[in-house]
Amino acid sequence: MYHFHSISLKELESINYKASFPSNQYKWISDWYSVFENVENNTIGFKKKPLIIAAYEEEELVAIIPLIKLIRKYCKCIKLEFVEFLGQQWSCIGHDLIIMKELDSDFIDELLRWIKKKINYHFIFFKYVPKTSILNQKFKMYRYSGAPVIPVADFDSYEDFSLNVYAKKFRKKLSRTIRKIERDGFNLKLSYEEINEANFKIIKEIAKSKEIDGKNYVYGDKNKENFHLKLYDNFP
């Protein structure tokens, strides 16, 4: 039998744990909340409150569930309360339970009973959950989006990466594109640099060019720009 209690973001910082996704790491979670705590809209949510749940088996910490409670408004007068992963509302690249030890099949049922007892809400809404998550054992998941997680540190170079990750057809298309660039009188080179004021300006210019295709310019929102800058500092 498991037992649960809420912990603060500060308490989460003191726990040494391994996360499956960068967006499950303390710095990501903390930075996200520090930037978006006071941003209120139906995407990010209203009246947000972190709900970090620590799960124990006897005295051993076996899992952490980084959740948030928020409100969304509909038809100006209807307010619904949601329990979600903290950070899934924007710029998330995956969320799941943070598991320190193999969990019994009853774990999710016990967690849900505790949430229902301790938290008032209308909906539990989880997004960006991997297929391997134990949440799939208890919930019927619908495909929301799909994205591979590629451990780039496992490759010796970009050439090694492209040879092992890119499809043969894509590598040929990329080669044709590079040759065309060179025929048009441009030089293309790869470089690896830490983000600074100069190259961040270039990044923003490239991002803004997406508006030509009708896409959003992420750095047009100062809060989103601030969050990205924090990520660049903490995840170089």
Side-chain angles (χ1 to χ4, degrees):
M1 185 173 180
Y2 299 96
H3 59 97
F4 308 88
H5 70 259
S6 297
I7 62 174
S8 65
L9 282 171
K10 189 66 177 177
E11 289 174 299
L12 179 63
E13 182 182 16
S14 66
I15 299 174
N16 183 22
Y17 67 90
K18 183 178 180 181
S20 300
F21 302 99
S23 42
N24 265 2
Q25 294 184 27
Y26 167 76
K27 282 303 299 179
W28 186 298
I29 291 171
S30 177
D31 287 343
W32 191 96
Y33 190 69
S34 70
V35 171
F36 294 107
E37 177 183 5
N38 296 314
V39 175
E40 296 202 323
N41 56 51
N42 256 17
T43 299
I44 304 297
F46 297 84
K47 296 184 178 180
K48 294 175 287 296
K49 180 183 178 182
L51 294 170
I52 315 298
I53 302 172
Y56 290 85
E57 187 176 32
E58 295 181 350
E59 300 302 317
E60 182 181 6
L61 179 65
V62 295
I64 302 169
I65 306 93
L67 305 179
I68 190 170
K69 180 180 174 180
L70 55 85
I71 292 174
R72 291 193 173 93
K73 301 176 182 180
Y74 301 92
C75 301
K76 296 184 179 181
C77 59
I78 300 174
K79 296 181 180 180
L80 298 178
E81 296 178 311
F82 291 80
V83 172
E84 305 178 353
F85 282 116
L86 200 163
Q88 77 172 38
Q89 297 73 30
W90 186 80
S91 196
C92 168
I93 57 173
H95 268 296
D96 198 5
L97 282 64
I98 301 165
I99 297 175
M100 282 84 158
K101 179 184 177 181
E102 185 176 353
L103 302 173
D104 295 339
S105 57
D106 293 334
F107 178 83
I108 296 299
D109 288 332
E110 293 184 28
L111 172 63
L112 290 176
R113 281 197 295 269
W114 186 89
I115 291 175
K116 289 176 181 178
K117 182 179 179 180
K118 298 292 184 179
I119 303 168
N120 294 320
Y121 66 91
H122 294 104
F123 297 101
I124 293 177
F125 182 39
F126 293 154
K127 294 195 300 185
Y128 312 116
V129 177
K131 289 182 179 179
T132 54
S133 174
I134 64 170
L135 291 169
N136 285 289
Q137 298 172 9
K138 296 295 179 181
F139 294 100
K140 181 176 178 60
M141 297 291 185
Y142 295 89
R143 185 171 182 176
Y144 185 82
S145 64
V149 177
I150 301 172
V152 293
D154 292 350
F155 301 95
D156 295 329
S157 63
Y158 172 74
E159 288 73 20
D160 182 31
F161 169 84
S162 62
L163 183 63
N164 287 279
V165 175
Y166 293 162
K168 184 177 180 180
K169 183 177 180 179
F170 178 76
R171 292 201 304 271
K172 288 183 177 180
K173 182 178 180 181
L174 187 62
S175 295
R176 288 196 300 270
T177 301
I178 292 173
R179 289 195 297 270
K180 185 178 185 303
I181 290 172
E182 292 173 345
R183 286 198 305 270
D184 291 342
F186 296 98
N187 293 319
L188 178 67
K189 68 175 183 178
L190 293 174
S191 64
Y192 305 88
E193 303 175 9
E194 290 190 7
I195 293 177
N196 53 44
E197 186 176 347
N199 55 32
F200 183 59
K201 183 179 179 181
I202 297 172
I203 290 172
K204 291 176 68 174
E205 290 173 352
I206 294 172
K208 190 168 179 59
S209 70
K210 291 184 177 181
E211 291 182 322
I212 298 172
D213 297 324
K215 299 177 181 178
N216 291 327
Y217 172 47
V218 65
Y219 298 109
D221 183 313
K222 286 299 180 182
N223 291 303
K224 293 177 179 179
E225 177 177 328
N226 186 20
F227 178 62
H228 274 223
L229 288 173
K230 286 179 179 289
L231 292 184
Y232 300 150
D233 285 338
N234 292 314
F235 299 89

PDB file of all heavy atoms in Angstrom, residues 42-60:
ATOM      1  N   ASN A  42      -6.946  30.896 -21.400  1.00  0.00           N
ATOM      2  CA  ASN A  42      -7.500  29.547 -21.410  1.00  0.00           C
ATOM      3  C   ASN A  42      -6.507  28.482 -21.852  1.00  0.00           C
ATOM      4  O   ASN A  42      -6.772  27.290 -21.699  1.00  0.00           O
ATOM      5  CB  ASN A  42      -8.753  29.493 -22.293  1.00  0.00           C
ATOM      6  CG  ASN A  42     -10.022  29.452 -21.459  1.00  0.00           C
ATOM      7  OD1 ASN A  42     -10.006  29.764 -20.267  1.00  0.00           O
ATOM      8  ND2 ASN A  42     -11.122  29.056 -22.074  1.00  0.00           N
ATOM      9  N   THR A  43      -5.372  28.900 -22.404  1.00  0.00           N
ATOM     10  CA  THR A  43      -4.327  27.931 -22.744  1.00  0.00           C
ATOM     11  C   THR A  43      -3.469  27.630 -21.521  1.00  0.00           C
ATOM     12  O   THR A  43      -3.299  26.462 -21.134  1.00  0.00           O
ATOM     13  CB  THR A  43      -3.440  28.464 -23.879  1.00  0.00           C
ATOM     14  OG1 THR A  43      -4.238  28.674 -25.048  1.00  0.00           O
ATOM     15  CG2 THR A  43      -2.335  27.472 -24.216  1.00  0.00           C
ATOM     16  N   ILE A  44      -2.943  28.661 -20.908  1.00  0.00           N
ATOM     17  CA  ILE A  44      -2.071  28.509 -19.742  1.00  0.00           C
ATOM     18  C   ILE A  44      -2.905  28.223 -18.492  1.00  0.00           C
ATOM     19  O   ILE A  44      -2.472  27.510 -17.587  1.00  0.00           O
ATOM     20  CB  ILE A  44      -1.218  29.777 -19.526  1.00  0.00           C
ATOM     21  CG1 ILE A  44      -0.413  30.097 -20.808  1.00  0.00           C
ATOM     22  CG2 ILE A  44      -0.286  29.612 -18.340  1.00  0.00           C
ATOM     23  CD1 ILE A  44       0.583  29.030 -21.191  1.00  0.00           C
ATOM     24  N   GLY A  45      -4.113  28.760 -18.419  1.00  0.00           N
ATOM     25  CA  GLY A  45      -4.996  28.547 -17.286  1.00  0.00           C
ATOM     26  C   GLY A  45      -5.065  29.746 -16.351  1.00  0.00           C
ATOM     27  O   GLY A  45      -4.193  30.615 -16.356  1.00  0.00           O
ATOM     28  N   PHE A  46      -6.112  29.764 -15.540  1.00  0.00           N
ATOM     29  CA  PHE A  46      -6.312  30.805 -14.530  1.00  0.00           C
ATOM     30  C   PHE A  46      -6.112  30.203 -13.133  1.00  0.00           C
ATOM     31  O   PHE A  46      -6.362  29.017 -12.914  1.00  0.00           O
ATOM     32  CB  PHE A  46      -7.730  31.376 -14.625  1.00  0.00           C
ATOM     33  CG  PHE A  46      -8.050  32.060 -15.935  1.00  0.00           C
ATOM     34  CD1 PHE A  46      -8.478  31.333 -17.034  1.00  0.00           C
ATOM     35  CD2 PHE A  46      -7.917  33.435 -16.068  1.00  0.00           C
ATOM     36  CE1 PHE A  46      -8.787  31.951 -18.236  1.00  0.00           C
ATOM     37  CE2 PHE A  46      -8.211  34.074 -17.269  1.00  0.00           C
ATOM     38  CZ  PHE A  46      -8.648  33.333 -18.347  1.00  0.00           C
ATOM     39  N   LYS A  47      -5.683  31.066 -12.203  1.00  0.00           N
ATOM     40  CA  LYS A  47      -5.550  30.684 -10.787  1.00  0.00           C
ATOM     41  C   LYS A  47      -4.802  29.359 -10.629  1.00  0.00           C
ATOM     42  O   LYS A  47      -5.276  28.406 -10.009  1.00  0.00           O
ATOM     43  CB  LYS A  47      -6.933  30.601 -10.133  1.00  0.00           C
ATOM     44  CG  LYS A  47      -7.653  31.939 -10.087  1.00  0.00           C
ATOM     45  CD  LYS A  47      -8.976  31.837  -9.333  1.00  0.00           C
ATOM     46  CE  LYS A  47      -9.663  33.198  -9.255  1.00  0.00           C
ATOM     47  NZ  LYS A  47     -10.956  33.135  -8.529  1.00  0.00           N
ATOM     48  N   LYS A  48      -3.601  29.323 -11.171  1.00  0.00           N
ATOM     49  CA  LYS A  48      -2.804  28.099 -11.152  1.00  0.00           C
ATOM     50  C   LYS A  48      -2.212  27.836  -9.764  1.00  0.00           C
ATOM     51  O   LYS A  48      -1.755  28.756  -9.091  1.00  0.00           O
ATOM     52  CB  LYS A  48      -1.689  28.209 -12.196  1.00  0.00           C
ATOM     53  CG  LYS A  48      -2.211  28.265 -13.622  1.00  0.00           C
ATOM     54  CD  LYS A  48      -1.116  28.497 -14.630  1.00  0.00           C
ATOM     55  CE  LYS A  48      -0.590  29.907 -14.601  1.00  0.00           C
ATOM     56  NZ  LYS A  48      -1.607  30.916 -14.993  1.00  0.00           N
ATOM     57  N   LYS A  49      -2.193  26.567  -9.391  1.00  0.00           N
ATOM     58  CA  LYS A  49      -1.623  26.152  -8.110  1.00  0.00           C
ATOM     59  C   LYS A  49      -0.857  24.849  -8.304  1.00  0.00           C
ATOM     60  O   LYS A  49      -1.441  23.840  -8.705  1.00  0.00           O
ATOM     61  CB  LYS A  49      -2.723  25.954  -7.073  1.00  0.00           C
ATOM     62  CG  LYS A  49      -2.196  25.510  -5.715  1.00  0.00           C
ATOM     63  CD  LYS A  49      -3.335  25.252  -4.739  1.00  0.00           C
ATOM     64  CE  LYS A  49      -2.808  24.762  -3.396  1.00  0.00           C
ATOM     65  NZ  LYS A  49      -3.914  24.450  -2.444  1.00  0.00           N
ATOM     66  N   PRO A  50       0.456  24.835  -8.040  1.00  0.00           N
ATOM     67  CA  PRO A  50       1.226  23.584  -8.179  1.00  0.00           C
ATOM     68  C   PRO A  50       0.719  22.511  -7.217  1.00  0.00           C
ATOM     69  O   PRO A  50       0.364  22.803  -6.074  1.00  0.00           O
ATOM     70  CB  PRO A  50       2.656  24.000  -7.813  1.00  0.00           C
ATOM     71  CG  PRO A  50       2.691  25.478  -7.979  1.00  0.00           C
ATOM     72  CD  PRO A  50       1.313  25.964  -7.640  1.00  0.00           C
ATOM     73  N   LEU A  51       0.680  21.285  -7.701  1.00  0.00           N
ATOM     74  CA  LEU A  51       0.295  20.135  -6.884  1.00  0.00           C
ATOM     75  C   LEU A  51       1.341  19.041  -7.088  1.00  0.00           C
ATOM     76  O   LEU A  51       1.135  18.112  -7.870  1.00  0.00           O
ATOM     77  CB  LEU A  51      -1.092  19.627  -7.286  1.00  0.00           C
ATOM     78  CG  LEU A  51      -2.278  20.551  -7.022  1.00  0.00           C
ATOM     79  CD1 LEU A  51      -3.531  20.004  -7.696  1.00  0.00           C
ATOM     80  CD2 LEU A  51      -2.521  20.705  -5.527  1.00  0.00           C
ATOM     81  N   ILE A  52       2.461  19.176  -6.427  1.00  0.00           N
ATOM     82  CA  ILE A  52       3.528  18.183  -6.545  1.00  0.00           C
ATOM     83  C   ILE A  52       3.254  17.086  -5.523  1.00  0.00           C
ATOM     84  O   ILE A  52       3.221  17.337  -4.318  1.00  0.00           O
ATOM     85  CB  ILE A  52       4.920  18.804  -6.284  1.00  0.00           C
ATOM     86  CG1 ILE A  52       5.069  20.144  -7.014  1.00  0.00           C
ATOM     87  CG2 ILE A  52       6.015  17.818  -6.683  1.00  0.00           C
ATOM     88  CD1 ILE A  52       4.979  20.061  -8.498  1.00  0.00           C
ATOM     89  N   ILE A  53       3.041  15.874  -6.008  1.00  0.00           N
ATOM     90  CA  ILE A  53       2.678  14.763  -5.122  1.00  0.00           C
ATOM     91  C   ILE A  53       3.868  13.817  -4.975  1.00  0.00           C
ATOM     92  O   ILE A  53       4.449  13.375  -5.969  1.00  0.00           O
ATOM     93  CB  ILE A  53       1.462  14.000  -5.674  1.00  0.00           C
ATOM     94  CG1 ILE A  53       0.262  14.950  -5.830  1.00  0.00           C
ATOM     95  CG2 ILE A  53       1.098  12.832  -4.758  1.00  0.00           C
ATOM     96  CD1 ILE A  53      -0.914  14.321  -6.558  1.00  0.00           C
ATOM     97  N   ALA A  54       4.234  13.521  -3.737  1.00  0.00           N
ATOM     98  CA  ALA A  54       5.275  12.540  -3.444  1.00  0.00           C
ATOM     99  C   ALA A  54       4.603  11.248  -3.002  1.00  0.00           C
ATOM    100  O   ALA A  54       3.702  11.262  -2.160  1.00  0.00           O
ATOM    101  CB  ALA A  54       6.204  13.060  -2.353  1.00  0.00           C
ATOM    102  N   ALA A  55       5.023  10.130  -3.586  1.00  0.00           N
ATOM    103  CA  ALA A  55       4.447   8.825  -3.270  1.00  0.00           C
ATOM    104  C   ALA A  55       5.479   7.976  -2.531  1.00  0.00           C
ATOM    105  O   ALA A  55       6.641   7.889  -2.951  1.00  0.00           O
ATOM    106  CB  ALA A  55       3.999   8.125  -4.543  1.00  0.00           C
ATOM    107  N   TYR A  56       5.039   7.348  -1.462  1.00  0.00           N
ATOM    108  CA  TYR A  56       5.932   6.548  -0.626  1.00  0.00           C
ATOM    109  C   TYR A  56       5.404   5.130  -0.473  1.00  0.00           C
ATOM    110  O   TYR A  56       4.189   4.899  -0.421  1.00  0.00           O
ATOM    111  CB  TYR A  56       6.058   7.170   0.770  1.00  0.00           C
ATOM    112  CG  TYR A  56       6.822   8.471   0.796  1.00  0.00           C
ATOM    113  CD1 TYR A  56       6.179   9.677   0.529  1.00  0.00           C
ATOM    114  CD2 TYR A  56       8.186   8.499   1.092  1.00  0.00           C
ATOM    115  CE1 TYR A  56       6.867  10.879   0.546  1.00  0.00           C
ATOM    116  CE2 TYR A  56       8.885   9.702   1.125  1.00  0.00           C
ATOM    117  CZ  TYR A  56       8.220  10.888   0.854  1.00  0.00           C
ATOM    118  OH  TYR A  56       8.906  12.068   0.875  1.00  0.00           O
ATOM    119  N   GLU A  57       6.333   4.206  -0.406  1.00  0.00           N
ATOM    120  CA  GLU A  57       6.037   2.829   0.001  1.00  0.00           C
ATOM    121  C   GLU A  57       6.745   2.627   1.330  1.00  0.00           C
ATOM    122  O   GLU A  57       7.979   2.579   1.372  1.00  0.00           O
ATOM    123  CB  GLU A  57       6.532   1.832  -1.045  1.00  0.00           C
ATOM    124  CG  GLU A  57       6.108   0.410  -0.757  1.00  0.00           C
ATOM    125  CD  GLU A  57       6.524  -0.545  -1.869  1.00  0.00           C
ATOM    126  OE1 GLU A  57       7.582  -0.303  -2.492  1.00  0.00           O
ATOM    127  OE2 GLU A  57       5.803  -1.519  -2.103  1.00  0.00           O
ATOM    128  N   GLU A  58       5.962   2.581   2.395  1.00  0.00           N
ATOM    129  CA  GLU A  58       6.494   2.676   3.758  1.00  0.00           C
ATOM    130  C   GLU A  58       7.229   4.014   3.877  1.00  0.00           C
ATOM    131  O   GLU A  58       6.627   5.059   3.713  1.00  0.00           O
ATOM    132  CB  GLU A  58       7.363   1.470   4.087  1.00  0.00           C
ATOM    133  CG  GLU A  58       6.563   0.161   4.102  1.00  0.00           C
ATOM    134  CD  GLU A  58       7.399  -1.037   4.457  1.00  0.00           C
ATOM    135  OE1 GLU A  58       8.649  -0.941   4.520  1.00  0.00           O
ATOM    136  OE2 GLU A  58       6.787  -2.114   4.686  1.00  0.00           O
ATOM    137  N   GLU A  59       8.546   4.010   4.085  1.00  0.00           N
ATOM    138  CA  GLU A  59       9.275   5.276   4.217  1.00  0.00           C
ATOM    139  C   GLU A  59      10.094   5.627   2.973  1.00  0.00           C
ATOM    140  O   GLU A  59      10.822   6.616   2.962  1.00  0.00           O
ATOM    141  CB  GLU A  59      10.205   5.219   5.446  1.00  0.00           C
ATOM    142  CG  GLU A  59       9.484   4.984   6.758  1.00  0.00           C
ATOM    143  CD  GLU A  59       8.435   6.049   7.029  1.00  0.00           C
ATOM    144  OE1 GLU A  59       8.721   7.247   6.804  1.00  0.00           O
ATOM    145  OE2 GLU A  59       7.319   5.688   7.462  1.00  0.00           O
ATOM    146  N   GLU A  60       9.975   4.821   1.946  1.00  0.00           N
ATOM    147  CA  GLU A  60      10.796   5.010   0.738  1.00  0.00           C
ATOM    148  C   GLU A  60      10.032   5.816  -0.316  1.00  0.00           C
ATOM    149  O   GLU A  60       8.904   5.468  -0.680  1.00  0.00           O
ATOM    150  CB  GLU A  60      11.194   3.658   0.156  1.00  0.00           C
ATOM    151  CG  GLU A  60      12.088   3.755  -1.058  1.00  0.00           C
ATOM    152  CD  GLU A  60      12.453   2.402  -1.636  1.00  0.00           C
ATOM    153  OE1 GLU A  60      11.917   1.376  -1.157  1.00  0.00           O
ATOM    154  OE2 GLU A  60      13.266   2.369  -2.582  1.00  0.00           O
TER     155      GLU A  60
END
